[in-house]
Amino acid sequence: MEDWKELWNKNYRGEGDCAELEKFLKSLNYGSRTGVTYLPWAVVERIFKLQDGHYEILKAKDDTIVEVDRTLIREEFDTASGAYIPKYMNSYFINVAVSWKGQKYTEKYPLQDSNGRPLTIWTQNDLNKAIQRAKVKAIANVSGIGYKLYEDGDLQFEKDTPTPT
């Protein structure tokens, strides 16, 4: 019987249950970000479930699925009252917890548009996209399924470009 490390490495290398992953790869092209590849969430979830993986969309303190991270960014002086008024910035996240072969991981994923800009208002479609992306990222982290794509295509540190067409 394989231990979790051996299976994680097999998944990472595209062996065993993951041998067919490459045929499901999709490509995105956003402006100067060409050749970005991803795996559809259903493919990743199918393999994960077959390996007895489980996920859960976590609820925030207010019993919704959107977590608000509120940060004080400055205080402004109100001349009328003579008081300093705190000004906050809110960021919004979805949290997905996964468990697999005794390993656990929680992905805190931001609500953002396709260009990585934070959302301050959103639709149910935006929430669903964030959930699916968080789930796939969490599954990759804990199980190795599709993890190599994050190593090869993590764009978070690339230079920002103008809004793509």
Side-chain angles (χ1 to χ4, degrees), residues 109-145:
Y109 195 87
L111 288 177
Q112 59 189 359
D113 66 14
S114 296
N115 296 310
R117 291 182 298 247
L119 296 177
T120 56
I121 57 172
W122 53 84
T123 66
Q124 294 303 315
N125 192 38
D126 294 322
L127 290 176
N128 185 58
K129 286 178 188 176
I131 289 167
Q132 301 309 338
R133 291 172 180 158
K135 190 179 358 173
V136 169
K137 192 170 180 183
I139 289 169
N141 197 309
V142 81
S143 71
I145 300 168

Side-chain angles (χ1 to χ4, degrees), residues 7 10-11 14-21 46-47 50-51:
L7 186 53
K10 279 179 73 174
N11 288 340
E15 299 170 357
D17 293 335
C18 293
E20 65 180 351
L21 275 183
R46 172 178 51 83
I47 295 168
L50 288 172
Q51 293 183 357

Side-chain angles (χ1 to χ4, degrees), residues 8-76:
W8 195 99
N9 279 314
K10 279 179 73 174
N11 288 340
Y12 173 81
R13 291 188 304 262
E15 299 170 357
D17 293 335
C18 293
E20 65 180 351
L21 275 183
E22 282 201 28
K23 76 178 185 180
F24 290 102
L25 280 175
K26 305 289 183 195
S27 292
L28 293 176
N29 292 306
Y30 287 121
S32 65
R33 295 178 178 175
T34 58
V36 176
T37 55
Y38 73 96
L39 289 167
W41 67 265
V43 174
V44 173
E45 190 173 323
R46 172 178 51 83
I47 295 168
F48 186 65
K49 285 182 174 182
L50 288 172
Q51 293 183 357
D52 201 29
H54 302 279
Y55 70 88
E56 177 184 5
I57 300 161
L58 302 178
K59 291 201 172 186
K61 294 176 188 172
D62 63 355
D63 205 35
T64 67
I65 64 169
V66 177
E67 176 188 345
V68 180
D69 185 19
R70 188 173 190 208
T71 304
L72 176 67
I73 56 173
R74 69 180 175 278
E75 291 185 339
E76 293 180 357

Side-chain angles (χ1 to χ4, degrees), residues 33 137 153-160:
R33 295 178 178 175
K137 192 170 180 183
D154 190 344
L155 302 175
Q156 69 176 327
F157 298 111
E158 283 192 4
K159 185 177 179 183
D160 289 337

